[in-house]
Amino acid sequence: MLRIGLFGAGRIGRVHAESVSAHPRTHLVAVHDPMHEAAAELAGRHGAVATVTAEEIIAGDDIDAVIIGSPTPTHIDLMTAAVRAGKAVLCEKPIDLDLARVDACWAELGPLGGTVMLGFNRRFDPSFAAVHARVAAGEIGTLEQLTIISRDPAPAPAGYIASSGGIFRDMTIHDFDLARFFLGEVVEVQAMGANLIEPYIQQAGDIDSAMVLLRGASGALCQITNSRRCSYGYDQRLEAFGSVATLSVTNQTATSVRRADAGGTEAREPYLTFFLDRYTPAYRAELDHFVGCVENGTQPSPGFADGRAALVLADAANESLRTGRAVRPEV
Amino acid sequence: MLRIGLFGAGRIGRVHAESVSAHPRTHLVAVHDPMHEAAAELAGRHGAVATVTAEEIIAGDDIDAVIIGSPTPTHIDLMTAAVRAGKAVLCEKPIDLDLARVDACWAELGPLGGTVMLGFNRRFDPSFAAVHARVAAGEIGTLEQLTIISRDPAPAPAGYIASSGGIFRDMTIHDFDLARFFLGEVVEVQAMGANLIEPYIQQAGDIDSAMVLLRGASGALCQITNSRRCSYGYDQRLEAFGSVATLSVTNQTATSVRRADAGGTEAREPYLTFFLDRYTPAYRAELDHFVGCVENGTQPSPGFADGRAALVLADAANESLRTGRAVRPEV
Amino acid sequence: MLRIGLFGAGRIGRVHAESVSAHPRTHLVAVHDPMHEAAAELAGRHGAVATVTAEEIIAGDDIDAVIIGSPTPTHIDLMTAAVRAGKAVLCEKPIDLDLARVDACWAELGPLGGTVMLGFNRRFDPSFAAVHARVAAGEIGTLEQLTIISRDPAPAPAGYIASSGGIFRDMTIHDFDLARFFLGEVVEVQAMGANLIEPYIQQAGDIDSAMVLLRGASGALCQITNSRRCSYGYDQRLEAFGSVATLSVTNQTATSVRRADAGGTEAREPYLTFFLDRYTPAYRAELDHFVGCVENGTQPSPGFADGRAALVLADAANESLRTGRAVRPEV
Amino acid sequence: MLRIGLFGAGRIGRVHAESVSAHPRTHLVAVHDPMHEAAAELAGRHGAVATVTAEEIIAGDDIDAVIIGSPTPTHIDLMTAAVRAGKAVLCEKPIDLDLARVDACWAELGPLGGTVMLGFNRRFDPSFAAVHARVAAGEIGTLEQLTIISRDPAPAPAGYIASSGGIFRDMTIHDFDLARFFLGEVVEVQAMGANLIEPYIQQAGDIDSAMVLLRGASGALCQITNSRRCSYGYDQRLEAFGSVATLSVTNQTATSVRRADAGGTEAREPYLTFFLDRYTPAYRAELDHFVGCVENGTQPSPGFADGRAALVLADAANESLRTGRAVRPEV
């Protein structure tokens, strides 16, 4: 059994706690959150303890690995402490909003040879993973054009937006990672953005609608479409257009019911509401990969370098947005 | 050019007139309808003349073939006169409501060796025809179960129902022919019916909802579902379930637009309203087959015998409905 | 925590054991199976014990409820003993193959007022349940025609078929229950069957392909299509055709991937392989309903009477098959 | 009857000739093509004459309007001559490859007040037109993101590519017009291109794969994806993402047949092969609009200015491709 400590008892912390409880070879030992009541409630539900300090988890002899689901500014400190303490780490994206801090972190951690996995859950979604495996197996010939659509059902509140680091580092970063998952390295980034939804997003200096073009080292092109709001649910699609075939991931609903009446036919329900529903199986498969890596002493993928690379693309997109120029990210 | 006379200037007559005008090797010469104004209007629109009597078309030297789209009770007399006059005949279904009259008709016409085609348009629908060709080519292995769904958008008016001969001879007859198109001869019929829609249909001694089971000589089973009303348009589907694959014909819409909002996703429009829209290409292909047969001196399919066989199945279904017993039609 | 004893460590027993382990308020205490090794293996996987005799579960003080997933001939004895011992019962379908035994069983058990639930899992499938709820809420107007398609991916082996009681009592019984779930009582049954797939099914005196028509007390019509083999997976569909709208349950796949190439477009994967995949959420919801009833002292639905009623329809279908007549089941 | 002269007997000329023959109020009088045999063959098929010179059509007293379907370099001269001769003009896109020549042309023609329509057929496609009308009626709220996918089934031959003016002026120009149809004026263009398909396209200095981002004056964003090759047919899709709903145009097939087997389910055929199939109804509706404008003395839309504006966007995309910068087109 892999004994796990969890940082963060918020929305994503609860997702991870559920995954740990459902996994046959992991055990949730402790939860820490500055909001102690939330930690206690979550810990209680899973037969774990809520610690008063984060250090108790870092120092815990009965803990083999930690999952970092606390706010972004805490990621580097917790990750650093955990690796130093010999614990395997599964860290939510992004590593940090500041590339210099990320590099400084790795300068220290890299030589230690610990296990650090980044929580890019979409790589583990059964549909995206199936397309990736089939593309890798050559089923579509050469991948020529990748299309990623990612729209949230509703904008995050103003407070969240203000500290999010902007749409590219907060939301598109998942799509950048997905693009890298399929394309390998990205050599060119163009971005266009707009404020169409909520004034408070613009007031925070952020955009709420974005379109990004990427060029992969192989020559393949990629486009990403983002919106902070989507009337019909959580819109998560991908199309891998190849020279001999194309594979697409379409949206998902809770049931397979369709409706027909005088107003329309073949209507499905609105799509699964948000990442908690849409990516439940992905979070479980992500954890399973992490557990397997720890058990077998292999390096997880996506790792720290993937977390850094996605951040580089987010920064490049921001630069393109600011300058109106295509940016060649410094890898 | 095949010079054509048309009986009937009603709904189905207009469909045929359009097909004749659109066909590159046919010419509409004359139209007859007891409602002379309707005939004149339709003839005028297509550069034809409206005759005062049906005999003018039968006797016309400038007419090679006739299309019979007049009411059912006129079919046999017009067909008989036309064949005697050496004209090729494309006759709408059913030949007649009375099997004895049908047999008497053929006793006379059969020996004359003329060209008689029955207007079972669905055999010529591009989708049904494609499935039929692919089944015949062995693509699905052995055909084991055939499902036919046929629902009209709205019930015909009381006057029409009263003289229709009942749902099996009026509406299901198309499905019986489609079943025979796929199964060959039918050896057993079971029917169940209900009055769920309009009281005037029950008052006419007819049913408005029906389900029928058929057994083909090959052993394959078939089910037909009918309703005189369908909230979402004209419902015309078929599924040919085979031992190694299955081919389905789904419904069709005027455009390929889909809609998503908070109430539902992927919604298509209501289906094409009725047979005039859904089967426009079928009517044209049907005419083209007829023209080709006349040009080449070959016998059209479906022919008179197919019209008779569908009527036999309708009668068998009525008997099953009345007796609650499986009926083995006398072929 | 509801403490549960499980009879049967076969395929369906394993499904129930998984559901019990996954449920937050149930605990699997003991498993019995004449094949002790299978029981031991399953019990071990879930932290339960394997008992040498069935009586140990019946008599166990630490067991509140039993799930009967053993072969059909054992159902009545186990159910009777369990109810007498004051334990709640969740019993797989069918209660028994012999209606007289079923009635004798209930003559004894009914007065005891115990809790007996029948394992008609499809009522708890999220899609079927959603359609049922929406139909009950009046969303489609009056339900006029119900279509149920149920095809297994591959025929059960000869040994299973021989003792299955025939397709209607073994396989269609689920569809009969689903029909009753939507229609209420059924007043007329017509059946047609065929042997198209495996000679050993015919040799066992059974059929492998079936079509059944039902008439509900409300007047609604229903058709059921069954096959023991389906090239494209487990085919489980339903269409509730109403006066103002229609709701359909379509098939389900493991991912939402679609493929396009020169041979075809929009292709989904084969459907979920069999009931273990397709109905995992249904089995969990079924257990949850059972647990809730035990906790609240309410009677579960479907109950014993529903198990009996489905068997009555299976017998009626067999009679219709034998006689070629519509049968009015004696309710 | 509008009497029509046609320039060009190639692929697009034949499409227009068919539309003219099918339209109830137009008559094809004459066809001209430097390849006289092609003109003669096409004219013969439609009861028209093939003229030896283009001037015969320009000067023809029996000709009210011309359709220009000849190679791009001839467009301006023919259009100019026809307008001077008082004939209405329906001209294929693009007006010319050189914006200066386009402006010079209009400097002369504009004051003459003639009727000039540009052949952007997609505006008349029933699906695109329906979405446009519904967006204009406010059905989706505010249009925020427009996605256009346009992929040809196979690359044009090297000779065509060499004189095409490049993918943006030859192929994307349709998408630029479609974008303007939905967005109104475009204020910013970013483009990325690649050579992934045929070396001869690169040797011609052109690209075969492209992605373009546009910003409309309203603030809405748009992305266009192009490829010169598509394994599964002619890929023509659009998504109008709005604040309260989204309308999509999906691809179309010749029939509504779907196939299921052990390899996949719900598979449709490859999409309609190319523009001749996909846009037949669009070409007919385009002609009908042109005829109506001539009959009513109104200005057709899209007109000359739309042809110019699409060319401006193509040039802007080329500039963005060359410089890697966002370009603000000079409208």
Side-chain angles (χ1 to χ4, degrees):
Chain A
M1 294 295 275
L2 193 70
R3 299 164 302 171
I4 290 184
L6 170 65
F7 296 107
R11 199 166 52 175
I12 192 69
R14 290 195 296 271
V15 170
H16 286 299
E18 293 276 352
S19 296
V20 170
S21 286
H23 194 282
R25 299 193 309 282
T26 59
H27 177 58
L28 187 66
V29 173
V31 179
H32 175 261
D33 194 293
M35 300 181 68
H36 190 72
E37 271 182 44
E41 194 278 329
L42 183 60
R45 196 135 36 88
H46 293 277
V49 299
T51 66
V52 177
T53 65
E55 287 67 32
E56 289 170 74
I57 287 179
I58 298 293
D61 281 348
D62 57 345
I63 290 177
D64 307 307
V66 302
I67 298 176
I68 304 177
S70 49
T72 301
T74 69
H75 287 183
I76 280 187
D77 287 349
L78 289 172
M79 183 191 296
T80 302
V83 172
R84 278 186 195 149
K87 291 180 170 36
V89 174
L90 168 55
C91 181
E92 270 303 315
K93 61 85 213 169
I95 303 174
D96 194 85
L97 299 178
D98 179 349
L99 190 59
R101 287 200 71 210
V102 169
D103 286 340
C105 170
W106 195 241
E108 176 178 356
L109 293 191
L112 300 182
T115 297
V116 178
M117 178 170 172
L118 256 289
F120 286 125
N121 57 302
R122 289 183 203 175
R123 294 194 184 207
F124 299 94
D125 172 73
S127 297
F128 292 139
V131 170
H132 185 266
R134 292 165 71 176
V135 170
E139 183 178 324
I140 69 166
T142 305
L143 172 61
E144 294 176 352
Q145 297 185 319
L146 183 72
T147 303
I148 298 171
I149 295 172
S150 175
R151 293 173 176 132
D152 283 353
Y160 179 93
I161 294 289
S163 62
S164 70
I167 193 170
F168 291 139
R169 286 186 287 194
D170 176 58
M171 179 177 167
T172 323
I173 200 161
H174 276 296
D175 307 304
F176 288 132
D177 181 66
L178 204 52
R180 291 186 64 253
F181 189 42
F182 279 89
L183 298 178
E185 288 316 319
V186 168
V187 299
E188 187 180 345
V189 179
Q190 287 184 12
M192 197 178 275
N195 287 93
L196 303 170
I197 300 172
E198 282 289 358
Y200 67 72
I201 298 177
Q202 185 161 23
Q203 286 153 17
D206 199 1
I207 54 174
D208 51 38
S209 304
M211 291 181 172
V212 182
L213 302 183
L214 306 177
R215 186 193 307 276
S218 73
L221 303 179
C222 170
Q223 64 185 6
I224 298 168
T225 300
N226 289 151
S227 174
R228 284 287 191 184
R229 181 194 58 205
C230 181
S231 67
Y232 48 85
Y234 189 36
D235 193 359
Q236 298 282 291
R237 286 177 281 166
L238 176 144
E239 182 178 279
F241 176 85
S243 53
V244 301
T246 290
L247 294 170
S248 309
V249 175
T250 60
N251 278 309
Q252 300 173 2
T253 48
T255 74
S256 60
V257 176
R258 290 187 180 262
R259 178 187 157 98
D261 63 17
T265 56
E266 304 181 20
R268 298 173 71 187
E269 307 153 52
Y271 298 124
L272 288 172
T273 316
F274 207 5
F275 63 94
L276 307 182
D277 303 303
R278 174 71 173 78
Y279 290 122
T280 298
Y283 283 111
R284 303 211 167 173
E286 174 186 282
L287 178 67
D288 189 62
H289 175 74
F290 177 65
V291 171
C293 288
V294 174
E295 290 173 344
N296 303 323
T298 52
Q299 280 302 319
S301 172
F304 190 96
D306 296 298
R308 181 191 186 277
L311 185 62
V312 166
L313 294 184
D315 286 355
N318 275 323
E319 184 185 337
S320 176
L321 195 67
R322 201 178 61 244
T323 64
R325 306 187 71 141
V327 173
R328 302 185 71 82
E330 315 257 339
V331 187
Chain B
M1 294 295 274
L2 193 70
R3 299 165 301 172
I4 290 183
L6 170 65
F7 296 107
R11 199 165 52 173
I12 192 69
R14 289 196 296 271
V15 170
H16 286 298
E18 293 275 351
S19 295
V20 170
S21 286
H23 195 282
R25 299 194 309 281
T26 59
H27 178 57
L28 187 65
V29 173
V31 179
H32 175 261
D33 195 295
M35 300 183 66
H36 190 71
E37 271 183 43
E41 195 277 329
L42 183 61
R45 195 132 41 86
H46 292 279
V49 300
T51 66
V52 177
T53 64
E55 287 67 31
E56 291 170 72
I57 287 180
I58 298 293
D61 281 347
D62 56 345
I63 289 178
D64 306 308
V66 301
I67 298 176
I68 304 177
S70 48
T72 299
T74 68
H75 287 184
I76 280 186
D77 287 350
L78 289 171
M79 183 192 295
T80 303
V83 172
R84 277 187 196 147
K87 292 180 170 36
V89 173
L90 169 55
C91 181
E92 269 304 315
K93 62 84 213 170
I95 303 173
D96 193 85
L97 298 179
D98 179 349
L99 189 59
R101 287 201 70 209
V102 169
D103 286 340
C105 170
W106 194 241
E108 176 177 355
L109 293 191
L112 301 182
T115 297
V116 178
M117 178 170 171
L118 255 289
F120 286 125
N121 56 302
R122 289 184 202 174
R123 294 194 184 206
F124 299 94
D125 172 72
S127 297
F128 292 139
V131 170
H132 185 266
R134 292 165 70 176
V135 169
E139 182 178 325
I140 68 166
T142 305
L143 173 61
E144 294 176 351
Q145 297 186 318
L146 182 73
T147 303
I148 297 171
I149 296 172
S150 175
R151 294 175 175 130
D152 283 354
Y160 179 92
I161 294 289
S163 62
S164 70
I167 194 170
F168 291 139
R169 286 186 286 194
D170 176 57
M171 179 176 168
T172 323
I173 200 162
H174 276 296
D175 308 304
F176 288 132
D177 181 66
L178 204 52
R180 289 186 66 253
F181 189 42
F182 279 88
L183 298 178
E185 289 315 319
V186 168
V187 299
E188 187 179 346
V189 180
Q190 287 183 13
M192 197 178 274
N195 287 94
L196 303 171
I197 299 172
E198 283 287 359
Y200 67 72
I201 298 177
Q202 184 160 24
Q203 286 153 17
D206 199 0
I207 54 174
D208 51 39
S209 304
M211 291 180 173
V212 181
L213 302 183
L214 306 178
R215 187 193 307 275
S218 73
L221 303 179
C222 170
Q223 64 185 7
I224 298 169
T225 300
N226 289 152
S227 174
R228 284 285 191 186
R229 181 194 58 205
C230 181
S231 67
Y232 48 85
Y234 189 37
D235 194 0
Q236 297 282 292
R237 286 177 281 166
L238 176 144
E239 182 178 280
F241 175 85
S243 53
V244 300
T246 290
L247 294 171
S248 309
V249 175
T250 60
N251 278 309
Q252 299 173 2
T253 48
T255 75
S256 60
V257 176
R258 289 187 181 262
R259 177 188 159 98
D261 63 17
T265 56
E266 304 181 20
R268 297 174 70 187
E269 306 153 52
Y271 299 124
L272 288 172
T273 316
F274 207 4
F275 63 93
L276 307 182
D277 302 304
R278 173 70 175 80
Y279 290 122
T280 298
Y283 284 110
R284 303 213 165 171
E286 175 187 281
L287 178 67
D288 189 62
H289 175 74
F290 177 64
V291 171
C293 288
V294 174
E295 289 172 345
N296 302 324
T298 52
Q299 279 302 319
S301 171
F304 190 95
D306 297 297
R308 181 191 187 277
L311 185 62
V312 167
L313 295 184
D315 286 355
N318 275 322
E319 184 184 337
S320 176
L321 195 66
R322 201 177 61 245
T323 63
R325 307 187 71 144
V327 173
R328 303 184 69 83
E330 315 257 339
V331 188
Chain C
M1 295 294 276
L2 193 69
R3 298 166 301 173
I4 290 183
L6 170 65
F7 296 107
R11 200 164 50 174
I12 192 69
R14 290 195 295 271
V15 170
H16 286 299
E18 292 276 351
S19 296
V20 170
S21 286
H23 195 282
R25 299 193 310 282
T26 59
H27 178 56
L28 187 65
V29 173
V31 178
H32 175 262
D33 195 294
M35 300 182 66
H36 189 71
E37 271 183 43
E41 194 278 328
L42 183 61
R45 196 134 39 87
H46 292 278
V49 299
T51 66
V52 176
T53 64
E55 287 67 32
E56 290 170 73
I57 288 179
I58 298 293
D61 281 349
D62 56 346
I63 289 178
D64 306 308
V66 301
I67 298 176
I68 303 176
S70 48
T72 300
T74 68
H75 287 183
I76 281 188
D77 287 350
L78 290 171
M79 183 191 294
T80 303
V83 172
R84 277 186 195 148
K87 291 180 170 37
V89 174
L90 169 55
C91 181
E92 271 303 316
K93 61 86 210 166
I95 303 173
D96 193 85
L97 299 179
D98 179 350
L99 189 59
R101 287 201 71 208
V102 169
D103 285 341
C105 169
W106 195 240
E108 177 177 356
L109 292 191
L112 300 182
T115 297
V116 179
M117 176 171 173
L118 255 288
F120 287 126
N121 56 301
R122 289 184 204 174
R123 293 194 183 207
F124 299 95
D125 172 72
S127 297
F128 292 139
V131 170
H132 185 265
R134 293 166 69 177
V135 169
E139 183 179 323
I140 69 166
T142 305
L143 173 61
E144 295 176 350
Q145 297 185 319
L146 182 72
T147 303
I148 297 171
I149 295 172
S150 175
R151 292 174 176 132
D152 283 353
Y160 179 93
I161 294 289
S163 62
S164 71
I167 194 170
F168 291 139
R169 286 186 286 194
D170 176 57
M171 180 177 166
T172 323
I173 199 161
H174 276 295
D175 308 304
F176 288 130
D177 181 67
L178 205 51
R180 291 186 65 253
F181 190 42
F182 279 87
L183 299 178
E185 288 316 318
V186 168
V187 298
E188 186 180 346
V189 180
Q190 287 184 11
M192 196 177 277
N195 288 94
L196 303 171
I197 299 172
E198 283 289 357
Y200 66 72
I201 298 177
Q202 185 160 22
Q203 285 152 17
D206 199 1
I207 54 174
D208 50 40
S209 304
M211 291 180 172
V212 181
L213 302 184
L214 306 177
R215 187 192 306 276
S218 73
L221 302 179
C222 170
Q223 65 186 6
I224 298 169
T225 300
N226 289 152
S227 174
R228 284 285 191 186
R229 182 193 58 203
C230 181
S231 67
Y232 48 85
Y234 189 38
D235 193 359
Q236 297 283 291
R237 287 176 280 166
L238 176 144
E239 183 178 278
F241 175 85
S243 54
V244 300
T246 290
L247 294 170
S248 310
V249 175
T250 60
N251 277 309
Q252 299 173 2
T253 48
T255 75
S256 61
V257 176
R258 290 188 180 261
R259 178 188 157 98
D261 63 18
T265 57
E266 304 181 19
R268 296 174 72 188
E269 307 154 51
Y271 298 123
L272 288 173
T273 315
F274 206 5
F275 63 94
L276 306 182
D277 303 303
R278 173 71 173 79
Y279 289 121
T280 298
Y283 283 110
R284 302 210 167 174
E286 174 186 281
L287 179 67
D288 190 61
H289 175 73
F290 178 65
V291 171
C293 287
V294 175
E295 290 172 345
N296 303 324
T298 52
Q299 279 302 319
S301 170
F304 190 97
D306 297 297
R308 182 191 185 278
L311 185 63
V312 167
L313 294 184
D315 286 355
N318 275 323
E319 184 185 337
S320 177
L321 196 66
R322 200 177 62 244
T323 63
R325 308 187 70 141
V327 173
R328 302 184 70 83
E330 315 257 338
V331 186
Chain D
M1 294 295 275
L2 194 70
R3 299 165 301 173
I4 290 184
L6 171 65
F7 296 107
R11 198 164 53 173
I12 192 69
R14 289 196 296 271
V15 170
H16 286 299
E18 293 275 351
S19 295
V20 170
S21 286
H23 194 282
R25 300 193 309 281
T26 59
H27 179 57
L28 187 66
V29 174
V31 179
H32 175 261
D33 194 295
M35 300 182 66
H36 190 71
E37 271 183 43
E41 194 277 328
L42 183 60
R45 195 131 42 85
H46 292 279
V49 299
T51 66
V52 176
T53 64
E55 287 67 32
E56 290 171 71
I57 288 179
I58 298 293
D61 281 348
D62 57 345
I63 290 178
D64 306 308
V66 300
I67 297 176
I68 303 176
S70 49
T72 300
T74 68
H75 287 184
I76 281 187
D77 287 349
L78 290 171
M79 183 192 295
T80 304
V83 172
R84 278 188 194 146
K87 291 179 170 35
V89 173
L90 169 55
C91 181
E92 270 303 315
K93 61 84 212 171
I95 303 174
D96 193 86
L97 299 178
D98 179 350
L99 189 60
R101 286 200 71 209
V102 169
D103 285 340
C105 170
W106 195 242
E108 177 177 354
L109 293 191
L112 300 182
T115 297
V116 178
M117 178 170 171
L118 255 288
F120 286 125
N121 57 302
R122 289 183 202 175
R123 294 194 184 207
F124 299 95
D125 172 73
S127 296
F128 292 138
V131 170
H132 185 265
R134 292 165 71 176
V135 169
E139 182 179 324
I140 69 166
T142 305
L143 173 62
E144 295 176 351
Q145 298 185 317
L146 183 72
T147 302
I148 298 171
I149 294 172
S150 175
R151 294 175 175 131
D152 283 354
Y160 179 93
I161 294 289
S163 62
S164 70
I167 194 169
F168 291 139
R169 286 187 284 194
D170 176 58
M171 179 175 167
T172 323
I173 201 162
H174 277 296
D175 307 304
F176 288 131
D177 181 66
L178 204 51
R180 291 186 64 253
F181 190 42
F182 279 87
L183 298 178
E185 289 315 319
V186 168
V187 299
E188 187 181 344
V189 180
Q190 287 184 13
M192 197 178 275
N195 287 93
L196 302 171
I197 299 172
E198 283 288 358
Y200 67 72
I201 297 176
Q202 184 161 24
Q203 285 153 17
D206 199 0
I207 53 174
D208 51 40
S209 304
M211 292 181 170
V212 182
L213 302 183
L214 305 177
R215 187 193 307 277
S218 74
L221 303 179
C222 171
Q223 64 186 6
I224 298 169
T225 300
N226 289 153
S227 174
R228 284 286 191 186
R229 182 193 58 205
C230 182
S231 67
Y232 48 85
Y234 190 38
D235 193 359
Q236 297 282 292
R237 287 177 280 167
L238 177 145
E239 183 178 279
F241 176 86
S243 54
V244 300
T246 290
L247 294 170
S248 309
V249 175
T250 60
N251 278 308
Q252 299 173 2
T253 48
T255 74
S256 61
V257 176
R258 290 187 181 261
R259 177 188 159 97
D261 63 18
T265 57
E266 304 181 21
R268 298 174 70 186
E269 306 153 53
Y271 298 123
L272 289 173
T273 315
F274 207 6
F275 63 94
L276 307 182
D277 303 304
R278 173 71 175 78
Y279 290 121
T280 298
Y283 283 110
R284 304 213 164 171
E286 174 187 281
L287 178 67
D288 189 62
H289 176 73
F290 177 65
V291 171
C293 287
V294 174
E295 290 173 344
N296 303 324
T298 52
Q299 279 302 319
S301 172
F304 189 95
D306 297 298
R308 180 190 187 279
L311 185 63
V312 166
L313 294 184
D315 286 355
N318 275 323
E319 184 184 336
S320 176
L321 196 67
R322 200 176 61 244
T323 63
R325 306 187 73 142
V327 173
R328 302 184 70 83
E330 315 257 339
V331 188

